[in-house]
Structure formats: C-alpha cells, structure tokens
C-alpha cells in the first residue's frame, strides 16, 4: 500500500522542465513538426491510434511528439484525451469488402480474384541498414520514385472479394452472419463480465497491446493451444465511415479511415452431426498494422476454445487472463504505481523481517546447543 | 436535391480537404446569411465493425468527428459531419448542404464544387490503384521433394 505525501513541488516542476529539455534535444536542430511525424513515422502513428482507441492521425502524431517517442506514453495521452470528448453515435458497420485496397495478400491461394498486391511492405526487404538514409540531405526525395504504372502487366482491380467467402458456397469455412447493427456490449462503458462473447473480446483485443498479443499468438504457434492457422487473407486500405445522423434519418459518409484486416483460417472442427469445417480467427486495427491484426486473429481464435469444445489450459485460451492483461494503459498504471511512496508499508516489512531473523537466530542457537549436546 | 444527391454531396465533401473545397467554391461562409443551429463541435463516432465483415458487430474504436448545423434565411437547414477536428470543414459542408437545397441552386453547387472535387478524388484514387496494381505478384509454386 502506498500513502499520500506532501511537498516536492519545486523538484517536480524542475523535473518536468528537464523532461521538456530532453524531449526537445539539441536546440541547434530544427524541431520536429507534427506533419513530419504523421508523414514520416506512419507506423508509429497507426499503433498509437489503434491502442489509443482513437482514430485521429494528427492527434496521434502530437502525442508521439509530446511523449518524445515513448509510444505507450503516447497511447496513454490519446486515451486520456478521448475521455474528454462526447460520443455522438455509433457508425454503421464498416464494410471491408468495399475497401480501397492498398495491400492484399493470401497465404492459402495463389490465384485469387483481384490478385495478390503487395503494396507497401517490409516483407522481402533484406533488413540491411540503409546507410544512404544517414545523409542529411533533402532526403533522397528526388531519387525516390513511385512504382512504374505505365504498361502494367495486369488490369487494375477495383474490387477485391474476400477470399474466404469464395470458399463459403461449399460450406468448407464457417460463416458468421448477423443482422444486428450495434454491439450489445461496450467495454468502455461497462466492466467486462466473464464469460464474455466474441464481440466483447474483439473490442478488448483491438485496443490491446501489440507486444502482448504478439507473444500470445506466438505461444499458440509453439504449441500452447495450437490452432493450425493459415493467413487466409490480409488486406489494408481505406474504408468509408458512415453514420445515420439524427437530423437526417438516412446514412451519409463522413470520411474514410484506414484499416488492416486479417482473416485467419484454422484447423477444422466437426462432430458426429456436423461436417468438419475450417474455423476462423479475426483481427482488425486502425491504420497499417499487420503484425497487430495477425496477432489479434490468432488470439481471437485461441479464445474461442470453449465455444469450439477444445482442450483448455494454455494462457492464450484463458479469456480472463488475456483480457485483463492486454490493455497497456491499465498495465502501465499498476506497474508504475510501484514508484509511489511505500515508505510506511516498507517500514512494517522491515520490522517484520528483523523480528523473524531474530527468531531464526534464536532457533539456530538452540539447535547448535542441541547438536553439541 | 434528392437523398442520393445529398449522400453524394456529403461523400464528396468529407473526402476532400478544406483547402480543395475553398479553391473550388471561391466563396466564404461570410458571403451568406445563415443562423447557426449547432456551432461546430468535435466529438467522436464509435467505429463499429463485424467479425469477418459479416458476423456480430463489435466496437473497433472511436474516430474524432466534427459536426455543425445551420439554417439559411430561406429556411433550408444544412448539416455537416466530418472525420477529424476541423470546425471550418464541418461549417463549409453544412453551408453547402443547405445551399444545395435551395431550388435552382443545387445545379450550381454540384457543377461548381461537387463535380470538380469528385473528379479530383477519382483521379487520386485511380493513381493509387495503379501504384497498387504495380505491386501485384504471381507466386510460382516450386516443386518440393525429389527431382
């Protein structure tokens, strides 16, 4: 237990000034602009928006600047800001079928309608440091080219049907259909009740820590709750956000948001009465966030263990374990509180240990006397 | 302006930057006589998604949205809802939404503002599509095992 303390205001003010100095760094260097962060660190911005649970690239970039690049601190800042805003309404369910695709790949079929398009990706890079970026010139801007778009070998596809849906007519892959428009539970309004349904879990996973979900997803691959996953489809792009404003009574688009979606296809399931069917795990995140979406899909599938009547007993299958530790803002809060004054608490621990040690000495002496006798 | 045109107007204006809208329109809100019903305000919309895009809905996360409502002296009310925190953007949308409802003015709003912006958006999308198409791959399966 920690106790309240008084004093230290001057020191705290000075410490915050030091923080500002540290954030600003060498003043002979030009300060970073929000636009530079937004444009040149897009993956950091996307991670902060996703786990900060607020899609606003400009504010995410601001948070990254203010947090001096500490992304979890930036996520915390964005989460805190979102609590100051009123929620107008829910959007209509996003339609990722109508996504303007920037990247779309499948690991289960070579030839898919619309084709496999790599888009911007770190895949197939050699992970060698590019020393040309060290040069502080108006950055190879002039030499960086867009891909050649003349004489394209392929037609430009503007429609990319979901790959797993193309398998659905045979009934090989499970299909989930719902007419429901609004989620029945919102973890930002009510505390999670166990057991949870899949929608609740997906909301928690969507804002969950990427590293935590990556490790859990990895653990299922290494055998702790194996689900035999394949990346059925990963797509990244822009999706229209629509609402039905109270003033209108019909839907209008209010902009586009960027999304990453991962459709995992997993080991089949069946019973005496149900034919074996591939099962699915789903991952969705703001921005370009492939690692997160894949990890989320692996963990989503692992958490469906009891629904699918699977053997239980690994961390990734335990919804209470996963959901109560996935949120890095909550985790940081509890870990950080250890820095608060625990002086009184520790004093009593000190007294206790001194007492026990004294008793221990006493027992030792008695034993020594006994053995000597 | 029918419902479809109105949806078209909002879809176009919310996908355009304020700068582009101003360049096409060449008027400012000060040029018009209107009464604010709801001053521009920033809040959020919860982005709802579906499991595997067809199943149960779930909350993905929130999106900042700015909205505004106003009424012209002729009684036409316009609204603007747009992602982000730009109050002028929402105000411009609401005003154009109202102006397009005036009998005889709709064509002008569409020909002068909406159509050129739509063209611009389509051109951008086309360019992006082509750049994406340039990254299309054919994976050839190698024969595994003997031979």
């Amino acid at each position: 237990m920690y106790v309240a303390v008084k004093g230290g205001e001057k020191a705290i003010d000075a410490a915050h000034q030091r923080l500002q100095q540290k954030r600003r760094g060498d003043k002979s260097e030009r300060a970073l602009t929000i636009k530079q962060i937004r444009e040149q660190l897009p993956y950091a911005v996307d991670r902060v928006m996703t786990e900060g649970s607020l899609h606003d690239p400009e504010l995410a970039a601001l948070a990254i600047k203010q947090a001096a690049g500490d992304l979890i601190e930036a996520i915390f800042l964005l989460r805190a800001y979102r609590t100051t805003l009123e929620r107008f309404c829910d959007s209509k369910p996003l339609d990722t079928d109508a996504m303007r695709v920037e990247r779309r790949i499948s690991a289960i079929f070579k030839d898919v309608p619309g084709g496999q398009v790599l888009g911007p990706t770190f895949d197939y890079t050699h992970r060698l440091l590019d020393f040309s970026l060290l040069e502080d010139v108006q950055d190879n801007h002039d030499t960086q080219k867009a891909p050649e778009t003349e004489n394209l070998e392929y037609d430009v596809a503007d429609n990319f049907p979901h790959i797993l849906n193309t398998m659905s007519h045979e009934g090989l892959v499970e299909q989930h259909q719902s007419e429901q428009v609004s989620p029945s539970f919102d973890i930002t309004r009510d505390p999670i009740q166990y057991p949870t349904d899949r929608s609740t879990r997906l909301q928690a996973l969507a804002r969950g820590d990427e590293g935590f979900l990556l490790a859990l997803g990895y653990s299922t691959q290494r055998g702790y709750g194996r689900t035999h996953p394949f990346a059925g489809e990963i797509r990244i792009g822009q999706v229209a956000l629509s609402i039905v404003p109270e003033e209108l009574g019909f839907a209008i688009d209010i902009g586009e948001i960027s999304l990453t979606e991962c459709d995992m296809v997993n080991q089949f399931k069946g019973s005496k009465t149900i034919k074996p069917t591939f099962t699915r795990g789903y991952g969705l995140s703001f921005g370009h966030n492939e690692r997160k979406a894949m990890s989320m899909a692996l963990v989503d599938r692992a958490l469906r263990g009891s629904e699918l009547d699977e053997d239980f007993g690994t961390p990734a299958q335990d919804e209470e374990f996963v959901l109560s530790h996935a949120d890095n803002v909550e985790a940081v809060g509890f870990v950080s509180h250890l820095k608060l004054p625990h002086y009184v608490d520790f004093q009593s621990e000190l007294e206790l240990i001194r007492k026990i040690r004294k008793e221990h000495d006493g027992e030792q002496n008695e034993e020594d006397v006994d053995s000597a006798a | 302006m029918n419902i479809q045109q109105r949806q078209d107007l909002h879809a176009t204006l919310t996908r355009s930057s304020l700068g582009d809208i101003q360049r096409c329109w060449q008027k400012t809100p000060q040029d018009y006589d209107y009464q604010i019903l709801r001053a521009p305000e920033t809040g959020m919309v919860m982005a709802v998604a579906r499991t595997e895009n067809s199943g149960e809905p779930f909350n993905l996360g929130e999106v900042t949205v700015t909205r505004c409502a106003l009424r012209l002296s002729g009684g036409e009310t316009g609204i603007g809802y747009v992602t982000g925190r730009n109050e002028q953007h929402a105000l411009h949308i609401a005003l154009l939404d109202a102006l397009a409802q005036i009998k005889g003015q709709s064509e002008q709003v569409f020909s002068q503002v909406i159509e050129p912006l739509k063209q611009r958006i389509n051109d951008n999308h086309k360019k992006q599509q082509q750049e994406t198409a340039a990254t299309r791959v054919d994976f050839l399966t190698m024969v595994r095992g003997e031979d």
Side-chain angles (χ1 to χ4, degrees), chain A residues 150-184:
Chain A
E150 301 288 311
N151 312 317
L152 283 180
E153 224 173 302
Y154 301 101
D155 291 340
V156 178
D158 50 10
N159 180 25
F160 293 84
H162 274 91
I163 291 160
L164 294 187
N165 291 348
T166 62
M167 289 169 80
S168 66
H169 61 278
E170 278 186 85
L172 299 177
V173 181
E174 61 172 350
Q175 291 290 327
H176 297 103
Q177 298 290 340
S178 170
E179 295 300 313
Q180 199 183 323
V181 182
S182 274
S184 30

Side-chain angles (χ1 to χ4, degrees), chain B residues 72-105:
Chain B
L72 296 175
S73 47
E76 297 82 5
T77 61
I79 63 151
Y81 277 84
V82 60
T83 54
R85 291 167 302 107
N86 192 327
E87 297 188 346
Q88 280 299 314
H89 197 174
L91 177 72
H92 278 65
I93 294 169
L95 189 50
L96 284 161
D97 182 44
L99 291 170
Q101 290 171 62
I102 301 174
K103 285 223 163 60
Q105 284 231 13

Side-chain angles (χ1 to χ4, degrees), chain A residues 102-152:
Chain A
E102 287 165 41
R103 169 169 167 79
R104 188 270 208 131
I105 56 164
S106 171
I108 58 171
F109 291 114
K110 270 193 304 142
D111 303 308
V112 290
Q116 304 219 22
V117 289
L118 300 177
T121 179
F122 289 114
D123 296 349
Y124 314 106
T125 62
H126 294 106
R127 268 74 183 207
L128 297 172
L129 281 174
D130 175 1
F131 289 95
S132 73
L133 293 175
L134 269 180
E135 286 166 39
D136 189 21
V137 286
Q138 183 48 16
D139 215 276
N140 1 30
H141 273 189
D142 305 329
T143 55
Q144 261 165 27
K145 287 184 295 194
E148 183 63 61
T149 54
E150 301 288 311
N151 312 317
L152 283 180

Side-chain angles (χ1 to χ4, degrees), chain B residues 18-75:
Chain B
L18 177 61
D20 285 344
I21 294 172
Q22 286 166 332
R23 268 187 289 282
C24 289
W25 195 15
Q26 296 185 336
K27 291 260 174 60
T28 67
Q30 287 79 41
D31 298 332
Y32 297 91
D33 187 17
Y34 61 87
Q35 181 199 349
I36 288 283
L37 300 176
R38 173 145 53 203
E41 58 173 345
T42 297
M44 302 181 292
V45 164
M46 175 56 90
V48 173
R50 289 189 182 281
T51 51
E52 293 130 20
N53 203 41
S54 60
E56 298 284 307
F58 69 94
N59 295 309
L60 175 64
E62 279 146 324
V63 182
T64 52
V65 170
T66 302
R67 68 178 173 185
C68 173
L70 50 79
R71 183 188 292 129
L72 296 175
S73 47

Side-chain angles (χ1 to χ4, degrees), chain A residues 58-89:
Chain A
E58 189 183 39
L59 290 183
L62 168 64
I64 291 166
K65 179 172 176 172
Q66 187 179 330
D70 180 336
L71 296 191
I72 291 185
E73 182 69 22
I75 289 161
F76 197 160
L77 290 170
L78 206 58
R79 283 273 188 97
Y81 173 77
R82 73 160 276 287
T83 64
T84 67
L85 294 180
E86 179 193 350
R87 187 190 295 173
F88 295 149
C89 58

